[in-house]
Every structure is written in structure tokens, then in C-alpha cells.
Amino acid sequence: MNAVGGIAGTLGRRRIPLGLRFLLISIVSASLMLLDHREEHLSRIRQAFSILVYPIQVAVDLPFTGLRWAARVLSDQTALLEENARLKSERLDVNVRLQRLEALGAENNRLRAMLDSSARVSDRVLVVEILAVDLAPYRQRFTINRGLNDDVYVGQALLDASGVVGQIAHVDLFTSEAVLISDPDHALPVAVNRNGLRTIVVGTGDSSRLRLPYLTNSADIEPGDLLVSSGLGGVFPSGYPVGRVLEVHRQPGQPFAQVIAEPAAQLDRDREVLLVWTAEDAADGYGSTNAVETP
Amino acid sequence: MMREGGGRRHLLLVSLVSALALAIVPLPTALAPYRPAWVPLVLIFWALMAPERVGLLTAFAMGLALDTLSGALLGQHALAMVTVVYLSIRFHLLIRVFPVWQLSTIVFLLLAIYEFALFWIDGVVGRSVPIIERWAPVVSGALVWPLVLGYLASVRQDTQTRI
């Protein structure tokens, strides 16, 4: 690409003066930006470029993957045995909880059947890896190693072991870019687990803080309340933990309370995340960002 | 003559790809804001030292690659990059005879223009960026410029004398 650019540059230089070429290329850049800003006109072109830069991303990620691989290979037996024992006890613990959950799920389905509402189908998930690639440090975004090839779609939800992580913003052929829930441009409909109060969680740009700007002073919310995804936006499946309320400031003069929450997911420490295909998407075959989730 | 051009083109390509890789290598969180803008630095070097090899189209292509890698608006880095490379080529005869510290000052100005273009476009689109993350690369870029200059110049000399 660069070589071609260089050759074309040397060929073009003879005919068109430098200043004019600068002007032309600037106009091309500006029109590209205009088109790109007006959403998704350029997704094809972006995907083509992403194939060209994919080798660079892989090359940068490779040493980190290699290091982790080496650490795994070279870890000694006692450490492995310890980890094994720990995992076994964890599994036992989780299994016990799962038994209870299964009974509860069955009961829930029975009750739903009595109420004549559709039973919830379980969601399909896929473990994906985050590429060790730094995007601009001030943007709460990351790249994952799955793309169009694996039916990833824009707006798809990402979870980790402890809560909601974010959603997919761009899909390329082999990789996708995800927005964390802590991105300032990200909003997520949630419900307070204690009383079902619905509101919206907005990112702050700090991966350990979330904001709830739309709660009135009289809203029933307290520090320690668990926020779960409400599923109202149609993007995130409902019922997954999003965060816990840290501080509530009520100022009598202001119409809204200042509520700060801490994300449940480990946004800055994750290496692997779960991609979720919700049951509705499976029914559609392909998800859309504004699909309305059935209650 | 042909082989010399081939060797130099090879080095040019390697340096540009390395700059792209350096631009996305993960750094510790504390250091990440101070990552120098490697791609414009390397392009400025080539535009000053070998303007017949690096054209505006190369800068445009590199900018688009950076846009794709960083998930920015397509054309944002491209416009900033083309502006900086245009200025470098336009004044390369004037600038490249300066001693290193004066060159660093010029590079500082060029990087400031680069970041300002990005900043301006971010402003138009409505993305806000913390002040330190925005301007730290300008300072760190000017500081590492002597290293980039020394390293690339020595490697380039090597390939030229060897072939």
C-alpha cells in the first residue's frame, strides 16, 4: 500500500504541483470524514482497510500471547496442582448453586406458562479474546479477535464472569471493536435490583466509574444497590449485573440526584470476554440494534 | 541505481510498518498518554530527508491505516498526516540543514499542528479528549525525535553504503 502510494506520488509529482495535490487529498480526506460521520456509508471500505492492517494487529498481539503461552507451559507442577484443587472446589460450589438455579428456572418457567407469557430461551455465548492492542488511551474501547466470520454484529452484547462489559461498535472481517459501558458515549438501560426502578447508566471515561444522571432527588436509590440490565434497549439481555451504586448526592436545588456507580465487570483487567447471542437474535438470524425485546 | 532504490524502499516500508506497530503496542496505563506519535515522526523524517520517496499519497495511506487501527473517523489522521507531510516537503530544503535541537523545535511545531488538526476534527464531531492525552504526544514526540533521526539516518547510511 505504502509502496504503491510512493510510486503514485512520484508519478503524480511531475504533473500536478505539490500545493494542488495537498488541496485535492485534503478534500478527499474531508469528504471521507463527512461520509464516515454520517454512519456506516463506509463500512465496506473500512473492512477492506482492516484486512490490510490485520497482520500488524496480529504481529503486535503475538509476543503477548506468546508470553502467556510460555508462562502456561513453564508453570511448575505444584502450582498446577494448587490451581486444580482450587478450581475443583470452585466448581463444586458453582454446581451446588446451579442446582438451586435449575429448580428456580423450572419454577419460573411454570409460573410464566401459567401467566401465558413466553418462556425465556437461554442465550448462546462465545468466549472471545481481547487483542493486546492499544487504541487511543482516552477511548474506552478495545479490539476482539472475532469478526464477520463468526457472525458478530454491531450492537452485540459483551459480558464477563461478573457482569456487563460493553457492546460491539464496528465489525470487520476478523476483528471487531467494542465500546465499554464506561465510554462517555455509551448509555445502558438498567433496573435497580432491589425495587425494579428503571433508569439509564452512562459511562464517564473512567473504567471504574459509571454515572446515573436521570434519577430525581426523590428516587428510591441507596449506596450498595445492585443495578442489573433491564433489557429495554433491546441490545443487552436482561438480568445481568451492571454495577453497584457507590454514592448518592441529593442537592435540594438540583432537579436530579448525582449518582455514581461502580461497574460489576472488571473492565480494565479482562483478557477474555463472552459474546452473547440473545434468543431473539437467534430467531431473527441476524440481530439489529433497535430490536425490541419481548417482555 | 536500481538496487539502491530497492534497498531504500525496503527500509522505508519497514520503518513505516514499524511505526504503525509502535502506535498500537500496549503500554502500561501510566505511560500510555505519553506515547509519541510515531507515524508522523517517521513520515516527517522521510519527507525531510528523502522527499522524492515519500509523497502526500503515502501520508494519506498511512493516515487511513492509523484511522482503521485506532477506530477513529476515516480520514481524520489522514488529513492531519497529509498536512504535516505537505509542510515538511514544502520546506525540507530550509529545515533539514538545521542542527538537531532546532530540528526538534520544528518537529514540535509540526506535531502540534498534527494534534491540533485531530483536536479540531474531534471538536467538530463532538468527541472530547482529556487535555494531557491530547498534548503529551507532542512533547514526547519532540523529545524522541533526535533518536528517530539518529537511528533512521544511520540505518539509511548503512544500506546506501553497503549496496
Side-chain angles (χ1 to χ4, degrees), chain B residues 103-153:
Chain B
L103 261 180
S104 275
T105 323
I106 298 288
V107 166
F108 179 82
L109 288 178
L110 286 172
L111 289 179
I113 294 170
Y114 174 78
E115 287 293 337
F116 182 78
L118 296 180
F119 167 70
W120 180 63
I121 296 163
D122 271 341
V124 171
V125 180
R127 284 177 183 158
S128 64
V129 172
I131 195 88
I132 182 140
E133 272 87 347
R134 175 53 81 197
W135 300 108
V138 178
V139 179
S140 61
L143 289 178
V144 299
W145 166 255
L147 297 178
V148 173
L149 179 70
Y151 179 69
L152 281 179

Short mmCIF file of all heavy atoms in Angstrom, two decimals, chain B residues 103-153:
data_model
loop_
_atom_site.label_atom_id
_atom_site.label_comp_id
_atom_site.label_asym_id
_atom_site.label_seq_id
_atom_site.Cartn_x
_atom_site.Cartn_y
_atom_site.Cartn_z
N LEU B 103 15.91 21.31 14.82
CA LEU B 103 15.00 20.38 14.14
C LEU B 103 13.93 19.90 15.11
O LEU B 103 12.76 19.78 14.75
CB LEU B 103 15.79 19.18 13.62
CG LEU B 103 16.18 19.20 12.15
CD1 LEU B 103 16.95 17.96 11.79
CD2 LEU B 103 14.94 19.31 11.28
N SER B 104 14.36 19.63 16.36
CA SER B 104 13.40 19.18 17.37
C SER B 104 12.30 20.22 17.57
O SER B 104 11.13 19.88 17.72
CB SER B 104 14.10 18.93 18.70
OG SER B 104 14.63 17.64 18.73
N THR B 105 12.70 21.49 17.58
CA THR B 105 11.70 22.55 17.74
C THR B 105 10.72 22.54 16.57
O THR B 105 9.50 22.65 16.76
CB THR B 105 12.40 23.93 17.80
OG1 THR B 105 13.62 23.79 18.51
CG2 THR B 105 11.51 24.95 18.45
N ILE B 106 11.28 22.39 15.36
CA ILE B 106 10.40 22.35 14.18
C ILE B 106 9.45 21.16 14.26
O ILE B 106 8.26 21.26 13.99
CB ILE B 106 11.26 22.26 12.90
CG1 ILE B 106 12.14 23.49 12.75
CG2 ILE B 106 10.37 22.08 11.68
CD1 ILE B 106 11.42 24.75 12.39
N VAL B 107 10.01 20.00 14.69
CA VAL B 107 9.19 18.80 14.81
C VAL B 107 8.10 19.03 15.85
O VAL B 107 6.95 18.61 15.67
CB VAL B 107 10.07 17.58 15.16
CG1 VAL B 107 9.22 16.41 15.61
CG2 VAL B 107 10.89 17.19 13.96
N PHE B 108 8.47 19.71 16.92
CA PHE B 108 7.48 20.04 17.96
C PHE B 108 6.32 20.82 17.34
O PHE B 108 5.15 20.52 17.55
CB PHE B 108 8.17 20.88 19.05
CG PHE B 108 7.26 21.30 20.16
CD1 PHE B 108 6.97 20.43 21.20
CD2 PHE B 108 6.68 22.56 20.16
CE1 PHE B 108 6.13 20.80 22.22
CE2 PHE B 108 5.83 22.93 21.18
CZ PHE B 108 5.56 22.06 22.22
N LEU B 109 6.66 21.82 16.52
CA LEU B 109 5.62 22.63 15.87
C LEU B 109 4.78 21.77 14.92
O LEU B 109 3.55 21.86 14.91
CB LEU B 109 6.26 23.78 15.09
CG LEU B 109 6.83 24.90 15.95
CD1 LEU B 109 7.49 25.96 15.08
CD2 LEU B 109 5.72 25.52 16.80
N LEU B 110 5.46 20.93 14.14
CA LEU B 110 4.73 20.08 13.19
C LEU B 110 3.78 19.15 13.92
O LEU B 110 2.62 18.97 13.53
CB LEU B 110 5.71 19.27 12.33
CG LEU B 110 6.47 20.05 11.26
CD1 LEU B 110 7.53 19.18 10.62
CD2 LEU B 110 5.50 20.56 10.19
N LEU B 111 4.26 18.54 15.03
CA LEU B 111 3.41 17.63 15.79
C LEU B 111 2.25 18.39 16.43
O LEU B 111 1.14 17.87 16.55
CB LEU B 111 4.22 16.90 16.86
CG LEU B 111 5.20 15.85 16.35
CD1 LEU B 111 5.96 15.23 17.51
CD2 LEU B 111 4.47 14.77 15.58
N ALA B 112 2.53 19.64 16.84
CA ALA B 112 1.45 20.45 17.42
C ALA B 112 0.37 20.69 16.37
O ALA B 112 -0.83 20.62 16.66
CB ALA B 112 2.02 21.76 17.94
N ILE B 113 0.80 20.96 15.12
CA ILE B 113 -0.18 21.14 14.04
C ILE B 113 -0.97 19.86 13.82
O ILE B 113 -2.19 19.86 13.67
CB ILE B 113 0.55 21.56 12.74
CG1 ILE B 113 1.17 22.94 12.91
CG2 ILE B 113 -0.39 21.52 11.54
CD1 ILE B 113 2.10 23.34 11.79
N TYR B 114 -0.24 18.73 13.84
CA TYR B 114 -0.87 17.41 13.67
C TYR B 114 -1.95 17.19 14.73
O TYR B 114 -3.10 16.87 14.42
CB TYR B 114 0.23 16.36 13.77
CG TYR B 114 -0.22 14.92 13.75
CD1 TYR B 114 -0.57 14.30 12.56
CD2 TYR B 114 -0.26 14.17 14.92
CE1 TYR B 114 -0.96 12.98 12.54
CE2 TYR B 114 -0.65 12.85 14.91
CZ TYR B 114 -0.99 12.26 13.72
OH TYR B 114 -1.37 10.95 13.71
N GLU B 115 -1.56 17.39 16.00
CA GLU B 115 -2.52 17.17 17.09
C GLU B 115 -3.66 18.18 17.03
O GLU B 115 -4.79 17.87 17.37
CB GLU B 115 -1.83 17.26 18.46
CG GLU B 115 -0.94 16.06 18.77
CD GLU B 115 -1.73 14.77 18.96
OE1 GLU B 115 -2.94 14.83 19.28
OE2 GLU B 115 -1.14 13.70 18.75
N PHE B 116 -3.32 19.40 16.60
CA PHE B 116 -4.39 20.40 16.54
C PHE B 116 -5.43 20.02 15.49
O PHE B 116 -6.63 20.18 15.72
CB PHE B 116 -3.82 21.80 16.23
CG PHE B 116 -4.89 22.84 16.22
CD1 PHE B 116 -5.38 23.33 17.41
CD2 PHE B 116 -5.44 23.29 15.02
CE1 PHE B 116 -6.40 24.26 17.42
CE2 PHE B 116 -6.46 24.22 15.02
CZ PHE B 116 -6.94 24.71 16.22
N ALA B 117 -4.96 19.47 14.36
CA ALA B 117 -5.91 19.03 13.33
C ALA B 117 -6.83 17.94 13.90
O ALA B 117 -8.05 17.97 13.72
CB ALA B 117 -5.15 18.51 12.11
N LEU B 118 -6.22 16.99 14.62
CA LEU B 118 -7.02 15.90 15.22
C LEU B 118 -8.01 16.49 16.23
O LEU B 118 -9.19 16.11 16.27
CB LEU B 118 -6.12 14.89 15.94
CG LEU B 118 -5.14 14.09 15.08
CD1 LEU B 118 -4.35 13.15 15.96
CD2 LEU B 118 -5.88 13.33 14.00
N PHE B 119 -7.52 17.40 17.04
CA PHE B 119 -8.31 18.04 18.10
C PHE B 119 -9.49 18.80 17.50
O PHE B 119 -10.62 18.71 17.98
CB PHE B 119 -7.36 18.99 18.84
CG PHE B 119 -8.03 19.96 19.77
CD1 PHE B 119 -8.62 19.52 20.95
CD2 PHE B 119 -8.03 21.32 19.48
CE1 PHE B 119 -9.21 20.42 21.80
CE2 PHE B 119 -8.63 22.21 20.34
CZ PHE B 119 -9.22 21.77 21.50
N TRP B 120 -9.21 19.49 16.42
CA TRP B 120 -10.24 20.29 15.77
C TRP B 120 -11.35 19.40 15.20
O TRP B 120 -12.53 19.65 15.39
CB TRP B 120 -9.57 21.12 14.66
CG TRP B 120 -10.49 22.00 13.91
CD1 TRP B 120 -11.21 23.04 14.40
CD2 TRP B 120 -10.78 21.91 12.51
NE1 TRP B 120 -11.94 23.62 13.41
CE2 TRP B 120 -11.70 22.95 12.24
CE3 TRP B 120 -10.35 21.08 11.47
CZ2 TRP B 120 -12.20 23.15 10.96
CZ3 TRP B 120 -10.85 21.30 10.21
CH2 TRP B 120 -11.77 22.32 9.97
N ILE B 121 -10.91 18.31 14.55
CA ILE B 121 -11.90 17.39 13.98
C ILE B 121 -12.71 16.72 15.10
O ILE B 121 -13.93 16.60 15.00
CB ILE B 121 -11.21 16.33 13.10
CG1 ILE B 121 -10.55 17.02 11.90
CG2 ILE B 121 -12.19 15.28 12.62
CD1 ILE B 121 -9.53 16.20 11.19
N ASP B 122 -12.01 16.32 16.18
CA ASP B 122 -12.71 15.75 17.33
C ASP B 122 -13.76 16.73 17.84
O ASP B 122 -14.87 16.34 18.20
CB ASP B 122 -11.72 15.43 18.46
CG ASP B 122 -11.15 14.03 18.33
OD1 ASP B 122 -11.77 13.22 17.63
OD2 ASP B 122 -10.10 13.76 18.92
N GLY B 123 -13.38 18.01 17.89
CA GLY B 123 -14.30 19.04 18.37
C GLY B 123 -15.53 19.16 17.48
O GLY B 123 -16.66 19.23 17.96
N VAL B 124 -15.31 19.13 16.16
CA VAL B 124 -16.42 19.25 15.22
C VAL B 124 -17.37 18.07 15.37
O VAL B 124 -18.59 18.20 15.34
CB VAL B 124 -15.89 19.33 13.76
CG1 VAL B 124 -17.03 19.23 12.77
CG2 VAL B 124 -15.11 20.62 13.56
N VAL B 125 -16.80 16.87 15.54
CA VAL B 125 -17.61 15.67 15.65
C VAL B 125 -18.25 15.55 17.02
O VAL B 125 -19.28 14.89 17.18
CB VAL B 125 -16.73 14.43 15.35
CG1 VAL B 125 -17.54 13.16 15.45
CG2 VAL B 125 -16.13 14.54 13.99
N GLY B 126 -17.64 16.19 18.02
CA GLY B 126 -18.22 16.17 19.35
C GLY B 126 -17.62 15.12 20.26
O GLY B 126 -18.27 14.64 21.18
N ARG B 127 -16.35 14.73 20.01
CA ARG B 127 -15.67 13.84 20.94
C ARG B 127 -14.75 14.69 21.80
O ARG B 127 -14.03 15.52 21.29
CB ARG B 127 -14.81 12.83 20.18
CG ARG B 127 -15.60 11.73 19.54
CD ARG B 127 -14.67 10.84 18.77
NE ARG B 127 -15.43 9.81 18.08
CZ ARG B 127 -14.98 9.15 17.02
NH1 ARG B 127 -13.80 9.45 16.53
NH2 ARG B 127 -15.70 8.23 16.45
N SER B 128 -14.78 14.45 23.09
CA SER B 128 -13.90 15.23 23.95
C SER B 128 -12.74 14.35 24.39
O SER B 128 -12.90 13.16 24.59
CB SER B 128 -14.66 15.72 25.16
OG SER B 128 -15.08 14.63 25.93
N VAL B 129 -11.58 14.98 24.50
CA VAL B 129 -10.38 14.26 24.87
C VAL B 129 -9.71 15.01 26.01
O VAL B 129 -9.60 16.24 25.95
CB VAL B 129 -9.41 14.19 23.67
CG1 VAL B 129 -8.08 13.63 24.10
CG2 VAL B 129 -10.01 13.36 22.57
N PRO B 130 -9.29 14.30 27.07
CA PRO B 130 -8.61 14.97 28.18
C PRO B 130 -7.38 15.72 27.68
O PRO B 130 -6.72 15.29 26.74
CB PRO B 130 -8.22 13.84 29.11
CG PRO B 130 -9.03 12.67 28.71
CD PRO B 130 -9.45 12.87 27.30
N ILE B 131 -7.07 16.83 28.34
CA ILE B 131 -6.06 17.75 27.84
C ILE B 131 -4.68 17.09 27.79
O ILE B 131 -3.93 17.25 26.84
CB ILE B 131 -6.05 19.04 28.69
CG1 ILE B 131 -5.29 20.14 27.98
CG2 ILE B 131 -5.51 18.81 30.07
CD1 ILE B 131 -6.16 20.93 27.06
N ILE B 132 -4.35 16.29 28.81
CA ILE B 132 -2.99 15.73 28.85
C ILE B 132 -2.79 14.69 27.76
O ILE B 132 -1.77 14.65 27.08
CB ILE B 132 -2.66 15.17 30.25
CG1 ILE B 132 -1.22 14.66 30.27
CG2 ILE B 132 -3.59 14.07 30.66
CD1 ILE B 132 -0.51 14.98 31.52
N GLU B 133 -3.83 13.87 27.53
CA GLU B 133 -3.74 12.86 26.48
C GLU B 133 -3.61 13.52 25.12
O GLU B 133 -3.07 12.95 24.19
CB GLU B 133 -4.98 11.97 26.48
CG GLU B 133 -4.89 10.76 27.38
CD GLU B 133 -5.32 11.06 28.79
OE1 GLU B 133 -5.46 12.27 29.11
OE2 GLU B 133 -5.53 10.12 29.56
N ARG B 134 -4.14 14.74 25.00
CA ARG B 134 -4.11 15.40 23.71
C ARG B 134 -2.74 15.97 23.41
O ARG B 134 -2.22 15.81 22.31
CB ARG B 134 -5.18 16.52 23.71
CG ARG B 134 -5.19 17.36 22.48
CD ARG B 134 -5.29 16.53 21.23
NE ARG B 134 -6.65 16.12 20.94
CZ ARG B 134 -6.92 15.12 20.09
NH1 ARG B 134 -5.96 14.45 19.51
NH2 ARG B 134 -8.17 14.81 19.85
N TRP B 135 -2.10 16.60 24.37
CA TRP B 135 -0.89 17.35 24.04
C TRP B 135 0.40 16.67 24.48
O TRP B 135 1.48 17.05 24.05
CB TRP B 135 -0.98 18.77 24.60
CG TRP B 135 -2.15 19.49 24.02
CD1 TRP B 135 -3.30 19.82 24.66
CD2 TRP B 135 -2.33 19.91 22.65
NE1 TRP B 135 -4.18 20.42 23.80
CE2 TRP B 135 -3.60 20.49 22.55
CE3 TRP B 135 -1.53 19.84 21.50
CZ2 TRP B 135 -4.11 21.00 21.37
CZ3 TRP B 135 -2.03 20.36 20.32
CH2 TRP B 135 -3.31 20.93 20.26
N ALA B 136 0.30 15.63 25.33
CA ALA B 136 1.52 14.94 25.76
C ALA B 136 2.31 14.34 24.59
O ALA B 136 3.54 14.42 24.58
CB ALA B 136 1.19 13.87 26.79
N PRO B 137 1.63 13.74 23.57
CA PRO B 137 2.40 13.16 22.46
C PRO B 137 3.25 14.19 21.71
O PRO B 137 4.28 13.84 21.15
CB PRO B 137 1.32 12.60 21.53
CG PRO B 137 0.15 12.38 22.39
CD PRO B 137 0.20 13.44 23.45
N VAL B 138 2.84 15.45 21.72
CA VAL B 138 3.62 16.48 21.04
C VAL B 138 4.97 16.63 21.72
O VAL B 138 6.03 16.61 21.07
CB VAL B 138 2.86 17.82 21.05
CG1 VAL B 138 3.69 18.90 20.39
CG2 VAL B 138 1.53 17.68 20.34
N VAL B 139 4.94 16.75 23.06
CA VAL B 139 6.18 16.91 23.81
C VAL B 139 7.05 15.66 23.70
O VAL B 139 8.24 15.74 23.36
CB VAL B 139 5.86 17.21 25.29
CG1 VAL B 139 7.14 17.36 26.08
CG2 VAL B 139 5.01 18.47 25.39
N SER B 140 6.45 14.49 23.94
CA SER B 140 7.25 13.27 23.90
C SER B 140 7.78 13.02 22.49
O SER B 140 8.90 12.55 22.32
CB SER B 140 6.44 12.07 24.40
OG SER B 140 5.31 11.87 23.58
N GLY B 141 6.98 13.39 21.48
CA GLY B 141 7.42 13.22 20.10
C GLY B 141 8.65 14.06 19.80
O GLY B 141 9.63 13.58 19.23
N ALA B 142 8.63 15.33 20.24
CA ALA B 142 9.78 16.21 20.01
C ALA B 142 11.00 15.69 20.77
O ALA B 142 12.13 15.83 20.31
CB ALA B 142 9.45 17.63 20.44
N LEU B 143 10.75 15.06 21.94
CA LEU B 143 11.88 14.56 22.73
C LEU B 143 12.52 13.32 22.09
O LEU B 143 13.74 13.17 22.15
CB LEU B 143 11.43 14.22 24.16
CG LEU B 143 11.11 15.44 25.04
CD1 LEU B 143 10.62 15.02 26.40
CD2 LEU B 143 12.35 16.33 25.16
N VAL B 144 11.70 12.45 21.49
CA VAL B 144 12.31 11.25 20.89
C VAL B 144 12.78 11.51 19.47
O VAL B 144 13.41 10.65 18.86
CB VAL B 144 11.36 10.02 20.88
CG1 VAL B 144 10.97 9.64 22.29
CG2 VAL B 144 10.16 10.27 20.02
N TRP B 145 12.49 12.69 18.93
CA TRP B 145 12.88 12.98 17.54
C TRP B 145 14.38 12.76 17.28
O TRP B 145 14.73 12.11 16.29
CB TRP B 145 12.47 14.40 17.17
CG TRP B 145 13.13 14.87 15.92
CD1 TRP B 145 14.15 15.75 15.82
CD2 TRP B 145 12.83 14.45 14.58
NE1 TRP B 145 14.50 15.91 14.52
CE2 TRP B 145 13.72 15.12 13.73
CE3 TRP B 145 11.90 13.57 14.03
CZ2 TRP B 145 13.70 14.96 12.36
CZ3 TRP B 145 11.89 13.39 12.66
CH2 TRP B 145 12.79 14.07 11.84
N PRO B 146 15.30 13.26 18.16
CA PRO B 146 16.72 13.01 17.89
C PRO B 146 17.03 11.53 17.75
O PRO B 146 17.86 11.14 16.91
CB PRO B 146 17.42 13.61 19.11
CG PRO B 146 16.49 14.63 19.62
CD PRO B 146 15.12 14.10 19.35
N LEU B 147 16.35 10.66 18.56
CA LEU B 147 16.58 9.23 18.47
C LEU B 147 16.13 8.69 17.12
O LEU B 147 16.85 7.95 16.45
CB LEU B 147 15.83 8.50 19.58
CG LEU B 147 16.26 8.84 21.01
CD1 LEU B 147 15.40 8.10 22.01
CD2 LEU B 147 17.72 8.48 21.20
N VAL B 148 14.91 9.10 16.72
CA VAL B 148 14.38 8.64 15.43
C VAL B 148 15.32 9.09 14.31
O VAL B 148 15.70 8.30 13.44
CB VAL B 148 12.97 9.23 15.20
CG1 VAL B 148 12.48 8.90 13.80
CG2 VAL B 148 11.99 8.69 16.23
N LEU B 149 15.72 10.35 14.38
CA LEU B 149 16.59 10.91 13.35
C LEU B 149 17.90 10.14 13.30
O LEU B 149 18.31 9.66 12.23
CB LEU B 149 16.86 12.39 13.69
CG LEU B 149 17.77 13.13 12.72
CD1 LEU B 149 17.07 13.33 11.40
CD2 LEU B 149 18.18 14.48 13.31
N GLY B 150 18.54 9.97 14.47
CA GLY B 150 19.83 9.29 14.52
C GLY B 150 19.72 7.87 14.02
O GLY B 150 20.50 7.42 13.17
N TYR B 151 18.69 7.16 14.50
CA TYR B 151 18.57 5.75 14.16
C TYR B 151 18.31 5.56 12.66
O TYR B 151 19.04 4.85 11.97
CB TYR B 151 17.45 5.11 14.97
CG TYR B 151 17.26 3.66 14.63
CD1 TYR B 151 18.24 2.72 14.97
CD2 TYR B 151 16.14 3.23 13.94
CE1 TYR B 151 18.09 1.40 14.64
CE2 TYR B 151 15.99 1.89 13.60
CZ TYR B 151 16.97 0.98 13.95
OH TYR B 151 16.83 -0.32 13.61
N LEU B 152 17.27 6.25 12.17
CA LEU B 152 16.91 6.06 10.76
C LEU B 152 18.04 6.52 9.84
O LEU B 152 18.34 5.89 8.83
CB LEU B 152 15.62 6.81 10.44
CG LEU B 152 14.34 6.11 10.89
CD1 LEU B 152 13.13 6.94 10.54
CD2 LEU B 152 14.22 4.74 10.25
N ALA B 153 18.70 7.64 10.21
CA ALA B 153 19.77 8.15 9.36
C ALA B 153 20.92 7.15 9.29
O ALA B 153 21.48 6.90 8.22
CB ALA B 153 20.26 9.49 9.88
#
